[in-house]
Amino acid sequence: MTHSNIDTAANYLREGRLVSFPTETVYGLGANALSDVAVASIYEAKGRPQFNPLITHVKNMAMAFEYGVHSDMAEKLMQAFWPGSLTLILPRKKDCALSLLVSAGLDCIGLRMPDHPMARQLLEVADIPVAAPSANRSGHLSPTTAQHVQDELGDKVAMILDGGACPVGIESTVLDLSGKQPMILRHGSVTQAMIEKITGTLGKASDDVMKSPGMMQSHYAPDAAMRLNIADVREGEALLAFGKTTLTATRQRNLSAKGDLKEAAANLFSMLRELDKTGAECIAVMPIPMEGIGMAINDRLARAAAPKSSGA
Ligand code: TXA
Ligand code: MG
């Protein structure tokens, strides 16, 4: 490990480019968590058909509480297990500057301070929060060596920091502190017994809405109704456009006037919220091509348009 490598990697991250770095669990595919466009490139590179929320890596506890709502429980858990392989899901602060895309539109964020010398140096030097899922293509195994990352995503990243094999080798434990009671969403090397020493007995996942991969039900849904794949705009509707169009409405946004899907992904959650805030009864959305990251955009739009389940 050379300092110049870390400096270069930190600069890439600050510029919005992708850097893969080792953590004690698995290699991460990192991007500046403050930038919608940088975070969109993560989804694009991984080829995920959906927007799953991403873990934001921080250099210390103070940085975590810049973005997540403070609680004594969260602080105690950080003191006990950070740096280390415990990810905490906290409610987003009102003024949270993290991209809405890292939360996949939810009102909570996953935060972790990794325990790997290279990851810690990188976070320290870059001095920004870094969104990083495991650095594999969607549906593949998590990488535990730099070579794995090279094989999977070598052509997608500005740089891979090689820190040797990851000592833990399985992903971090994910503990949700955003609900009524703390709940493990993913098991890892920080065990339930270790956590319960601090929290007391944990709730069972079935007690609450499950937020884990593939089971995300508590998606952000606009108050407005949604009409997808529209060819016209009706009276009173707000328009969410994509690409060149002659359609207009008094309340409108364009996900990407030049028809760029990555830019559209970066704008999706903020523009949906903006149009929803106008009080329009319905948001009419132009067709989004079903290719590349367009699949994740369409998945998210379909969920936002689905009838709202009561209570969720
Ligand atoms: O060990 C790890 O956690 C690795 C290294 C790179 O840190 N990262 C990792 O990230 O495994 P990823 O994206 O592959 O898994 C993130 C998990 C997913 O199960 C996701 O659903 C959950 O964390 N998660 C993240 N943020 C969340 C949120 N706001 N609400 C609910 N679940 C969240
Ligand atoms: Mg993963």
Side-chain angles (χ1 to χ4, degrees):
M1 158 175 38
T2 64
H3 288 285
S4 69
N5 271 350
I6 297 277
D7 289 345
T8 308
N11 281 334
Y12 282 146
L13 284 176
R14 297 181 64 92
E15 286 165 9
R17 300 179 65 186
L18 295 177
V19 170
S20 178
F21 61 97
T23 78
E24 76 281 22
T25 58
V26 300
Y27 274 75
L29 177 63
N32 183 348
L34 300 170
S35 157
D36 290 326
V37 176
V39 176
S41 358
I42 293 181
Y43 291 105
E44 187 183 52
K46 283 190 64 111
R48 271 187 175 171
Q50 301 177 344
F51 295 118
N52 293 335
L54 306 173
I55 297 170
T56 297
H57 297 68
V58 291
K59 65 173 183 175
N60 57 28
M61 207 156 90
M63 190 183 259
F65 287 131
E66 269 179 54
Y67 307 113
V69 173
H70 178 275
S71 68
D72 291 342
M73 175 82 83
E75 187 171 334
K76 269 195 235 164
L77 286 161
M78 289 173 189
Q79 257 151 8
F81 298 111
W82 281 16
S85 41
L86 176 67
T87 296
L88 296 175
I89 311 292
L90 303 183
R92 286 175 75 106
K93 278 170 84 167
K94 266 221 169 60
D95 57 349
C96 178
L98 296 182
S99 163
L100 285 172
L101 210 46
V102 299
S103 295
L106 295 171
D107 289 323
C108 53
I109 44 171
L111 293 160
R112 162 165 127 81
M113 176 183 176
D115 184 19
H116 187 290
M118 221 180 228
R120 292 187 64 185
Q121 275 190 47
L122 179 64
L123 290 167
E124 197 64 51
V125 176
D127 200 24
I128 48 170
V130 175
S134 49
N136 51 278
R137 295 188 139 265
S138 181
H140 292 195
L141 289 176
S142 294
T144 53
T145 66
Q147 187 61 49
H148 294 162
V149 181
Q150 179 63 43
D151 296 344
E152 292 260 319
L153 294 167
D155 55 336
K156 308 272 187 193
V157 296
M159 189 170 173
I160 301 170
L161 283 175
D162 188 349
C166 302
V168 177
I170 57 165
E171 298 90 341
S172 62
T173 306
V174 178
L175 180 69
D176 186 4
L177 294 181
S178 70
K180 273 178 242 123
Q181 46 176 339
M183 199 166 72
I184 293 182
L185 299 184
R186 180 173 76 185
H187 290 276
S189 62
V190 174
T191 63
Q192 178 158 348
M194 290 159 75
I195 293 170
E196 284 182 336
K197 281 201 179 125
I198 289 165
T199 59
T201 310
L202 291 174
K204 276 199 236 69
S206 55
D207 292 352
D208 205 334
V209 179
M210 189 70 183
K211 292 187 191 166
S212 244
M215 303 189 206
M216 307 264 318
Q217 271 151 37
S218 53
H219 280 286
Y220 162 75
D223 290 328
M226 310 256 306
R227 207 159 61 81
L228 306 183
N229 299 312
I230 54 110
D232 61 345
V233 188
R234 297 175 189 161
E235 181 80 37
E237 284 184 338
L239 171 65
L240 188 58
F242 175 79
K244 273 209 196 90
T245 179
T246 52
L247 295 179
T248 55
T250 44
R251 297 164 286 198
Q252 63 173 315
R253 293 284 183 282
N254 196 322
L255 288 170
S256 170
K258 57 176 192 262
D260 178 307
L261 285 168
K262 189 168 106 182
E263 183 181 35
N267 287 329
L268 178 65
F269 290 109
S270 48
M271 288 186 175
L272 269 180
R273 280 180 193 250
E274 282 163 17
L275 290 179
D276 200 23
K277 271 201 203 124
T278 65
E281 259 166 47
C282 185
I283 301 172
V285 189
M286 284 178 61
I288 312 291
M290 263 298 207
E291 57 195 54
I293 200 172
M295 308 232 286
I297 297 175
N298 278 301
D299 171 76
R300 192 61 192 74
L301 285 170
R303 288 167 194 262
K308 292 166 189 68
S309 52
S310 54

